[in-house]
Amino acid sequence: TPELELSELNIGSRPAKRKATGGVESLRAIPWNFSWTQTRLNLPTWLGVGEAISEILASSDGDTLRQMYKEWTSFSTTIDLVEMVLAKSEPSIAAHYDQMLVHEDKAKELGQHVRKIHGETESAVLELTGHTELSEDNAVLRRALQVRNPYCDSLNILQAETLKRLRNCDDSNEVEKKLLKDALLTTITGVANGMGNTG
């Protein structure tokens, strides 16, 4: 994710990390979520949901969970929101970021595993809702995705390339670094607007 670069850009009221030298544990929630939205995986929104749904559907409480989805507005709204985020996600774009920016084999394996979990979460949500496609009853969203995705896809490709160049840029080349940071901010803004939400 572009989380490291986000911490250098002046796009929020607070720093991306609580401590500049801290690791994952020092990240703030908003930049963390925003970074996953930029790569179109939206991980913090759905991680764990599919596993929980699948486990309950496979148990003696499966029919109760289906009934809850049909009858409990608060529960169905939550599931529908997760379904919407899954529909907005594009694991192939996230895979492109891995291909362009990830060098460690273990990290690449983790990316593949996370994308597999994404697919399993889609299947679990579809099984619970009874839908055959994500957000099939939301025509406005489906049309928006058809129109928006080609533009966002292009911006994501440009963003991954810009991140690669920025991470490989010589620190002494301030002119190139500034150009790359400006280009990155443009792609970040474009993807955030195209996604229709920031995290």
Side-chain angles (χ1 to χ4, degrees):
T1 69
E3 182 271 324
L4 292 173
E5 289 75 15
L6 284 172
S7 65
E8 295 180 19
L9 298 172
N10 186 21
I11 57 173
S13 61
R14 298 164 72 184
K17 289 185 170 190
R18 289 176 177 81
K19 288 192 253 176
T21 57
V24 170
E25 69 280 354
S26 71
L27 290 171
R28 293 191 185 277
I30 292 172
W32 174 250
N33 287 337
F34 187 73
S35 293
W36 286 108
T37 301
Q38 286 290 302
T39 63
R40 308 266 292 283
L41 199 56
N42 300 303
L43 178 87
T45 305
W46 56 260
L47 187 64
V49 174
E51 186 177 355
I53 290 171
S54 294
E55 188 174 318
I56 296 171
L57 287 177
S59 75
S60 59
D61 292 322
D63 289 339
T64 302
L65 192 67
R66 285 185 181 89
Q67 185 177 357
M68 286 172 58
Y69 178 75
K70 289 177 183 168
E71 297 177 8
W72 293 17
T73 306
S74 59
F75 181 67
S76 63
T77 298
T78 300
I79 297 299
D80 291 347
L81 286 171
V82 171
E83 185 179 19
M84 176 201 65
V85 170
L86 290 168
K88 286 183 169 188
S89 300
E90 191 54 67
S92 64
I93 293 291
H96 180 72
Y97 279 83
D98 284 1
Q99 179 187 350
M100 293 289 290
L101 302 168
V102 177
H103 306 291
E104 303 83 14
D105 288 339
K106 290 283 186 191
K108 288 181 180 182
E109 288 173 20
L110 178 61
Q112 289 174 345
H113 182 67
V114 167
R115 290 189 297 278
K116 179 177 175 280
I117 295 171
H118 183 280
E120 292 167 354
T121 302
E122 283 187 9
S123 297
V125 168
L126 291 173
E127 185 179 350
L128 174 60
T129 61
H131 295 160
T132 56
E133 292 182 85
L134 292 171
S135 297
E136 69 181 24
D137 56 353
N138 188 339
V140 173
L141 175 63
R142 291 178 64 76
R143 178 66 182 139
L145 293 176
Q146 277 184 325
V147 171
R148 174 215 77 177
N149 278 352
Y151 299 100
C152 278
D153 293 351
S154 300
L155 286 168
N156 283 118
I157 302 293
L158 289 170
Q159 185 177 97
E161 179 64 33
T162 304
L163 282 166
K164 182 178 180 180
R165 291 183 187 194
L166 188 56
R167 290 176 183 179
N168 293 327
C169 185
D170 187 343
D171 284 338
S172 64
N173 193 341
E174 292 182 21
V175 173
E176 183 178 0
K177 210 160 187 164
K178 183 183 182 328
L179 285 170
L180 290 169
K181 284 184 178 181
D182 288 347
L184 180 62
L185 184 56
T186 300
T187 65
I188 287 170
T189 302
V191 171
N193 284 322
M195 293 293 289
N197 57 328
T198 55

